[in-house]
Amino acid sequence: MELRKRKIRAPLPIFVTITLFLLQLWAVTAHTNNSGESSAQPSVNSPLVKTSTRLLSSSPSFTGKRFSFRFRWRKRRRRNKVNRASIEFLFAHNLIRARVGEPPLEWDGRLAAYARAWANQRVGDCRLVHSNGPFGENIFWAGQNNWRPSDVVKVWADENRFYDVKSNTCQPEQMCGHYTQIVWKDSTKVGCARVDCSDGGIYAICVYNPPGNYEGENPFGSYTDNIGLTRDDPPAVIV
C-alpha cells in the first residue's frame, strides 16, 4: 500500500512544478506583448515610454550610420585601387631613375587628374594623340587589357637601348624619347592614368612637370652640346 501511495503521490510535485512554470511563461509572454503595444502607442506622460521611443527612433539612425560606413568603406576601397595603380606607376618610374642616379619623382594629384581627363577623352577610339598641353607626356596603347602600370613604364624604359648618351641622340629610325622623359633630371613630378578602351585594349598616359625632351638639352642636365632630342618621337604602340 505504501508503494502504491508513493506511486500516486510522486506525479503531484511534478504536476505542480509544470503548472507553475506554464503560469510564469504565460505571465512573461503577456508582459512582453503589453510592452510591445505600449511602444507602438507611446504615451507622452510616461517616462518609460519616452525611453522606449528614443530607443526606437535611434534604430533607424544606427542603420543609417551603418549604411554610411559601408558606403565610405566601398568608396575607400575604390580609392585604394586607384592609389595602388598610382604607386605602381610612381615606383616603376623611380626605379628607372635610380638606376641612372636621378632623384625620384613625386606623385602629383593635379597631373594625375589632367592625365585622367585626357585618357577619358580617348576611351572611344584610344588614338595615340598627345594632349599638347604644357606638360611632358608619355602615351601608350596595347591591344590587350592585361598590362599593369609597371609593364607600361617598362616598355618606355626599354627604349634606353636606343639612346646614345655620348651624342644625346636616338638611333636612326628608333624611338627613345619616352625613356629620356622618364629620366629627365629637371622633371620632378608625375601623374598617370590608365583606362580600358571601348573597342578593347588599354590606353595609358603619364604627365610630367616640368616637361622634358627639349631640343638641344641632355636629360641628365648636361647642356654642353647642341645635339638634342626632338619632342615629336612616335608614341609607344603594342599590338
Side-chain angles (χ1 to χ4, degrees):
M1 292 293 297
E2 291 179 0
L3 182 61
R4 289 181 62 184
K5 288 181 180 179
R6 287 164 60 183
K7 285 183 178 179
I8 294 173
R9 292 176 182 178
L12 183 60
I14 299 175
F15 175 78
V16 172
T17 302
I18 294 174
T19 303
L20 291 174
F21 173 76
L22 292 175
L23 289 173
Q24 290 176 353
L25 181 63
W26 175 81
V28 170
T29 304
H31 177 72
T32 304
N33 292 335
N34 291 334
S35 299
E37 292 176 359
S38 300
S39 299
Q41 297 178 354
S43 172
V44 177
N45 297 323
S46 173
L48 179 62
V49 173
K50 286 182 180 179
T51 304
S52 299
T53 304
R54 285 199 299 270
L55 291 174
L56 288 174
S57 63
S58 65
S59 179
S61 176
F62 173 76
T63 305
K65 289 181 180 179
R66 182 172 59 184
F67 174 79
S68 177
F69 171 76
R70 289 179 179 176
F71 177 76
R72 289 196 301 269
W73 180 73
R74 291 174 183 173
K75 196 172 183 180
R76 189 176 295 110
R77 283 189 61 190
R78 288 196 294 270
R79 287 201 301 267
N80 288 338
K81 288 182 179 179
V82 174
N83 287 339
R84 283 195 293 269
S86 303
I87 292 173
E88 191 171 345
F89 268 119
L90 182 63
F91 179 80
H93 276 82
N94 288 335
L95 184 62
I96 303 303
R97 291 175 67 90
R99 290 174 182 172
V100 295
E102 295 293 349
L105 296 173
E106 177 185 348
W107 186 264
D108 190 292
R110 291 174 296 180
L111 294 179
Y114 180 94
R116 173 66 60 180
W118 181 251
N120 287 337
Q121 293 186 41
R122 300 265 66 87
V123 169
D125 55 18
C126 279
R127 291 176 55 202
L128 286 166
V129 179
H130 286 282
S131 69
N132 295 322
F135 311 111
E137 288 182 7
N138 281 347
I139 57 178
F140 173 91
W141 175 84
Q144 297 181 353
N145 297 76
N146 58 347
W147 288 80
R148 297 176 58 86
S150 58
D151 299 328
V152 175
V153 177
K154 185 178 184 301
V155 170
W156 294 331
D158 284 346
E159 295 178 1
N160 66 336
R161 64 185 184 273
F162 303 126
Y163 174 65
D164 187 352
V165 179
K166 292 182 179 180
S167 63
N168 192 33
T169 57
C170 301
Q171 293 181 10
E173 298 181 359
Q174 298 292 343
M175 67 181 74
C176 64
H178 301 96
Y179 165 71
T180 55
Q181 173 59 86
I182 290 176
V183 298
W184 199 268
K185 185 174 184 177
D186 291 345
S187 296
T188 60
K189 297 181 180 180
V190 65
C192 304
R194 181 187 58 169
V195 295
D196 293 329
C197 304
S198 299
D199 56 353
I202 67 163
Y203 180 93
I205 175 174
C206 286
V207 182
Y208 308 84
N209 193 44
N213 285 356
Y214 284 104
E215 294 185 26
E217 297 183 3
N218 187 296
F220 304 111
S222 176
Y223 310 136
T224 56
D225 54 23
N226 293 324
I227 302 175
L229 301 167
T230 58
R231 299 192 64 186
D232 57 353
D233 279 1
V237 181
I238 304 296
V239 180

